[in-house]
Amino acid sequence: MKKMTSWGKYPHIDANISAPLSSHMLANEKRNIIARGLGRSYGDSALSENIIISNRLNHFISFDENTGQLHCEAGVSLHDILMNFVPKGWFLYVTPGTKFVTVGGAIASDVHGKNHHIDGCFSDHVTSLTICIQGEEISCSREENSDLFHATCGGMGLTGIITKATFKLRPITSSYINQKVIKAKNLDTVLELFEQYRDATYSVAWIDCLSTGSNLGRSLLMLGEHACKGELTTHKSGVLNMPCDMPSFLLNKYTIQAFNSAYYNKQVKEELNNTIHYDSFFYPLDGISNWNRMYGKNGFTQYQFVIPKEAGKEGLKEILEAIAESKQGSFLAVLKVFGKGNINYLSFPLEGYTLALDFKLNNKLFALLDRLDLIVRKYKGRIYLSKDVRMSEEMFKASYPHWKKFQVLRKKYGADERYLSLQSKRIGL
Amino acid sequence: MKNIIIIGATSAMAEEVAKLYAAEKANLYLIARNTTRLESIINDLTVRGANTVHTSAFDANQFDSHEVLIEQAFETLGYVDVVLIAHGSLPNQELCQNDTTQAIEELNTNGISVISLLTHTANKMELQKKGNITVITSVAGDRGRQSNYVYGAAKGMVSTFLQGLAQRLNKSGVHVLDIKPGFVDTPMTAEFNKGALWAKPDKVAQIIKKRISKKSSFSYTPAFWFIIMTVIKFIPKFVFTRLKL
């Protein structure tokens, strides 16, 4: 038995751990199994009575230099891919805000990045994958066992253990990004700017969620394009480390307000153009190891929701006002416009606006999040499972319409009684 | 282009060292017991850039096979830059206390087999008059503790052997490096709760490669184990015997 928790450091559980050295060694006799990569999901989706850690299933299998197709085991991390392929002129098509996730985790969460409006989710570049269900390895793709493929991409590990995957890498000629940062004085402005720059490959906005009134939703919009010139250099390992939990009282409404103001006003010019390394553009927080300790020993959560474009402005305003009023601000609030969603059963993105907010855990927080759930539901939106630690079964089933199809498929493959996480039990899967 | 022989190539630390050399387009000769796992490692190292990857199966405790094994590896690669010996097992101390066969087998795997391989390797390297021999031992060899003194005795024997070997081969320009890792987060230790003293195998591999290229003779990996082990070695015997380490 080992003490386990995920990135949000809540909850903590005792679990049986196994770290198989090859897919032939996957434990299959047990129930309540969940696969786990690098533990970067925030909540309880990679926690269960029996946890299979994929960190030794970390081998590349083959790479086709003509097509950019990489075939590898599911425990390979995006960090490892970048270290090996950036010098050869390849990058990921879709990357989340940290490189410390595994390929299996990226598929199970069907992660998105700053280019969702152009390139979709991680799984949209996956051509095939292999999944181990009850000891049997089954390959699937859009053509072969397509139901299993669409359930597994975004399926939170609940269809079995992903063991291998083939996906495409993006050719690059430089490891640098041409960045443009634009100040937006409120929500209306930033949404207009997103619209104006909809052809930009990468776009995301940092948003100050404590400002109110005419400043509601003031933000910095960050846009990026792969540079053509520059060296193909990889990232360096982070030099900073948060050595222990920060006393949690240091994060309060005053310090967060001060930080947000400083961050917004740090940039004096209305528009800034520069060229930065991919590591600073995509992974600013990876530079500080264990940054999650900043939120103190009680941990934190990230509330990420999406609401359809039609609901857009009003919905966002209503939520931002509710947060500003509660004074439970977050350091990291990120706004992004999603493109069209895909047809995976439980993938999170749908065409509209997504906002991700970090909150320190305290006894008043879940009441606020329950209130936000009601607003999200009213506008026909939903919450990202990989960040969630407290959503109700009712909310989940109302907002993920394909959950029934997902359950039927799990039953068909015999995965429903075997692969379960604390989250899946909570939301009725 | 470097030519590297790795014995115990499926061990977590050895595999990470192999990845680092593969990225530099090295020729690798991997020796391990488990050949199914070697196959996935060959593919992996090839994608990472290895020029060639050769493999050979072996059983550490078949001492009489060692000479041919080393002979073949040197013959295949021609000149050898680095020989890394990394195989080993983590014995169950209690089992060893009650079963001499078990204890002797563990001493053979972690101690005698390494010395046998080292003897053949050293003679080859001496003729080359260049190159490096690196062995992964353990901080456990520095002082016997009740929790794992069979393992410690085997590792300590190898470390003492390496001290002498380093002196002998210094004349021929061969660099001998004894790597003593502390706690490393490997499959062998998956069940342990890990604190601040634990290092990741890729980190340990980077340190090993750096020490090889700098011809360092510093053993403790990561370096802070030097301080910990110095303290442990200086605890007076009458106090030490009462401790629960």
Side-chain angles (χ1 to χ4, degrees):
Chain A
M1 283 296 222
K2 190 176 163 183
K3 280 247 175 297
M4 296 297 287
T5 187
S6 286
W7 193 242
K9 304 218 290 174
Y10 171 83
H12 294 263
I13 61 157
D14 285 314
N16 299 308
I17 303 296
S18 67
L21 302 173
S22 75
S23 51
H24 312 294
M25 295 165 69
L26 287 173
N28 293 298
E29 69 284 0
K30 289 180 178 159
R31 285 169 178 245
N32 289 332
I33 302 173
I34 198 72
R36 179 182 170 101
L38 288 166
R40 284 295 176 120
S41 61
Y42 285 66
D44 50 0
S45 49
L47 296 177
S48 197
E49 189 186 323
N50 300 297
I51 297 177
I52 294 184
I53 297 185
S54 68
N55 62 355
R56 292 287 286 164
L57 301 175
N58 62 348
H59 299 102
F60 293 126
I61 299 165
S62 63
F63 180 65
D64 185 334
E65 285 176 14
N66 299 312
T67 61
Q69 295 266 6
L70 175 64
H71 186 201
C72 67
E73 291 179 341
V76 167
S77 70
L78 301 190
H79 152 79
D80 203 5
I81 294 174
L82 293 170
M83 286 302 272
N84 277 280
F85 288 96
V86 166
K88 298 173 181 134
W90 300 93
F91 199 72
L92 299 156
Y93 260 101
V94 169
T95 176
T98 171
K99 55 190 176 287
F100 299 116
V101 298
T102 60
V103 168
I107 293 171
S109 289
D110 204 6
V111 298
H112 56 269
K114 300 175 181 185
N115 55 341
H116 183 271
H117 59 293
I118 308 250
D119 294 308
C121 288
F122 191 88
S123 76
D124 293 320
H125 305 273
V126 174
T127 36
S128 65
L129 59 88
T130 310
I131 184 160
C132 181
I133 309 173
Q134 303 193 52
E136 193 191 342
E137 286 201 277
I138 306 173
S139 58
C140 59
S141 66
R142 286 177 188 80
E143 293 77 37
E144 181 193 7
N145 297 319
S146 64
D147 57 347
L148 185 58
F149 181 83
H150 290 297
T152 300
C153 296
M156 304 305 292
L158 302 174
T159 56
I161 314 281
I162 303 170
T163 55
K164 298 180 191 96
T166 305
F167 52 97
K168 262 184 130 162
L169 297 183
R170 173 199 297 272
I172 50 165
T173 50
S174 159
S175 54
Y176 285 79
I177 302 286
N178 291 327
Q179 180 185 236
K180 184 193 283 292
V181 185
I182 308 172
K183 275 177 116 164
K185 62 178 191 300
N186 56 33
L187 188 67
D188 290 334
T189 319
V190 74
L191 294 183
E192 276 162 31
L193 284 167
F194 266 117
E195 192 55 34
Q196 187 186 334
Y197 288 99
R198 63 179 176 272
D199 294 331
T201 308
Y202 299 107
S203 62
V204 72
W206 166 85
I207 185 165
D208 173 3
C209 58
L210 283 179
S211 55
T212 50
S214 60
N215 285 332
L216 184 77
R218 69 173 174 178
S219 0
L220 293 174
L221 175 69
M222 300 165 201
L223 305 163
E225 299 294 339
H226 285 279
C228 299
K229 286 184 191 155
E231 293 172 334
L232 288 166
T233 48
T234 57
H235 55 274
K236 305 277 178 289
S237 54
V239 280
L240 299 172
N241 180 25
M242 189 78 78
C244 58
D245 292 329
M246 195 167 96
S248 65
F249 68 85
L250 286 177
L251 271 195
N252 56 48
K253 65 183 177 192
Y254 304 105
T255 54
I256 293 174
Q257 216 150 21
F259 171 83
N260 283 358
S261 269
Y263 196 76
Y264 180 77
N265 291 311
K266 190 183 75 177
Q267 180 172 329
V268 183
K269 287 192 226 157
E270 286 303 304
E271 188 182 310
L272 175 100
N273 288 287
N274 58 2
T275 301
I276 61 172
H277 193 260
Y278 72 78
D279 203 31
S280 333
F281 184 77
F282 291 106
Y283 315 114
L285 283 170
D286 283 352
I288 310 166
S289 308
N290 302 309
W291 64 260
N292 54 341
R293 289 176 175 161
M294 186 179 80
Y295 287 91
K297 71 174 187 329
N298 295 331
F300 75 116
T301 188
Q302 190 173 86
Y303 187 79
Q304 182 171 1
F305 67 86
V306 58
I307 49 176
K309 216 157 202 173
E310 311 84 78
K313 238 176 259 181
E314 296 78 64
L316 281 178
K317 267 191 188 145
E318 201 173 329
I319 291 173
L320 283 173
E321 274 162 8
I323 296 165
E325 193 186 314
S326 77
K327 297 277 181 201
Q328 303 233 27
S330 79
F331 257 128
L332 266 184
V334 170
L335 176 67
K336 158 100 202 124
V337 179
F338 277 154
K340 281 208 164 21
N342 57 29
I343 59 168
N344 300 332
Y345 298 0
L346 298 186
S347 272
F348 165 67
L350 49 86
E351 190 166 19
Y353 302 108
T354 182
L355 186 61
L357 307 140
D358 283 2
F359 291 104
K360 184 171 81 176
L361 286 182
N362 61 40
N363 48 18
K364 283 183 285 185
L365 180 67
F366 285 1
L368 170 69
L369 300 186
D370 287 341
R371 260 174 63 211
L372 300 186
D373 278 359
L374 292 177
I375 309 175
V376 170
R377 211 172 140 181
K378 183 171 86 186
Y379 290 103
K380 299 196 165 46
R382 61 189 176 211
I383 296 168
Y384 194 5
L385 291 170
S386 306
K387 312 277 178 81
D388 161 64
V389 71
R390 34 65 55 191
M391 176 175 22
S392 69
E393 178 173 348
E394 193 196 351
M395 172 73 185
F396 167 71
K397 290 185 172 171
S399 53
Y400 280 86
H402 299 305
W403 73 269
K404 278 187 187 146
K405 217 161 86 178
F406 185 74
Q407 286 299 73
V408 171
L409 176 125
R410 284 174 80 209
K411 219 179 192 80
K412 174 179 157 191
Y413 285 94
D416 58 331
E417 290 179 343
R418 205 164 287 258
Y419 305 101
L420 294 153
S421 62
L422 292 191
Q423 180 181 53
S424 78
K425 289 183 184 169
R426 172 165 49 78
I427 61 175
L429 287 179
Chain B
M1 218 180 295
K2 289 206 166 82
N3 296 334
I4 317 284
I5 298 172
I6 301 181
I7 302 171
T10 55
S11 95
M13 284 181 271
E15 201 184 326
E16 292 299 330
V17 173
K19 286 180 186 175
L20 296 177
Y21 282 111
E24 295 180 358
K25 303 187 170 43
N27 297 304
L28 294 153
Y29 195 105
L30 310 179
I31 299 170
R33 184 185 49 189
N34 187 332
T35 45
T36 21
R37 287 203 37 238
L38 270 181
E39 270 166 46
S40 61
I41 295 175
I42 297 173
N43 291 334
D44 180 63
L45 296 174
T46 308
V47 174
R48 286 174 196 275
N51 190 44
T52 55
V53 186
H54 306 273
T55 57
S56 182
F58 94 123
D59 178 345
N61 292 340
Q62 292 275 320
F63 305 142
D64 50 5
S65 70
H66 291 175
E67 187 173 4
V68 179
L69 190 80
I70 298 293
E71 186 78 39
Q72 274 175 352
F74 271 77
E75 207 167 286
T76 310
L77 293 178
Y79 172 79
V80 177
D81 294 277
V82 178
V83 176
L84 171 67
I85 302 179
H87 70 276
S89 62
L90 188 62
N92 180 326
Q93 174 63 32
E94 223 169 297
L95 220 67
C96 291
Q97 279 162 213
N98 301 317
D99 180 354
T100 45
T101 325
Q102 188 70 29
I104 289 167
E105 185 164 332
E106 294 294 357
L107 287 169
N108 280 337
T109 310
N110 292 298
I112 304 292
S113 78
V114 179
I115 283 172
S116 159
L117 289 160
L118 271 174
T119 304
H120 298 299
T121 306
N123 294 341
K124 286 275 174 194
M125 281 282 186
E126 200 169 32
L127 292 175
Q128 270 192 188
K129 295 203 179 308
K130 221 179 153 186
N132 162 284
I133 302 172
T134 298
V135 184
I136 298 181
T137 64
S138 171
V139 293
D142 277 14
R143 194 163 192 182
R145 287 169 298 126
Q146 59 186 331
S147 57
N148 68 347
Y149 60 82
V150 173
Y151 180 72
K155 293 292 189 182
M157 167 164 66
V158 175
S159 288
T160 308
F161 185 93
L162 286 169
Q163 287 168 10
L165 190 66
Q167 271 191 336
R168 174 189 142 199
L169 294 184
N170 184 47
K171 297 191 284 290
S172 334
V174 177
H175 172 219
V176 175
L177 176 61
D178 177 8
I179 290 288
K180 297 181 179 177
F183 299 144
V184 185
D185 187 358
T186 65
M188 210 157 78
T189 56
E191 278 280 349
F192 292 44
N193 281 315
K194 314 230 160 46
L197 294 180
W198 288 77
K200 297 268 180 217
D202 57 336
K203 179 81 195 155
V204 171
Q206 283 167 14
I207 297 171
I208 293 174
K209 185 163 175 284
K210 202 168 168 186
R211 291 198 189 147
I212 292 173
S213 70
K214 288 195 163 170
K215 297 202 169 160
S216 159
S217 56
F218 193 70
S219 292
Y220 297 97
T221 313
F224 65 78
W225 281 94
F226 170 71
I227 301 166
I228 298 174
M229 295 319 293
T230 304
V231 172
I232 288 182
K233 281 190 284 190
F234 273 97
I235 299 173
K237 214 183 270 176
F238 72 90
V239 179
F240 197 78
T241 43
R242 287 175 175 79
L243 293 179
K244 277 193 182 136
L245 285 169

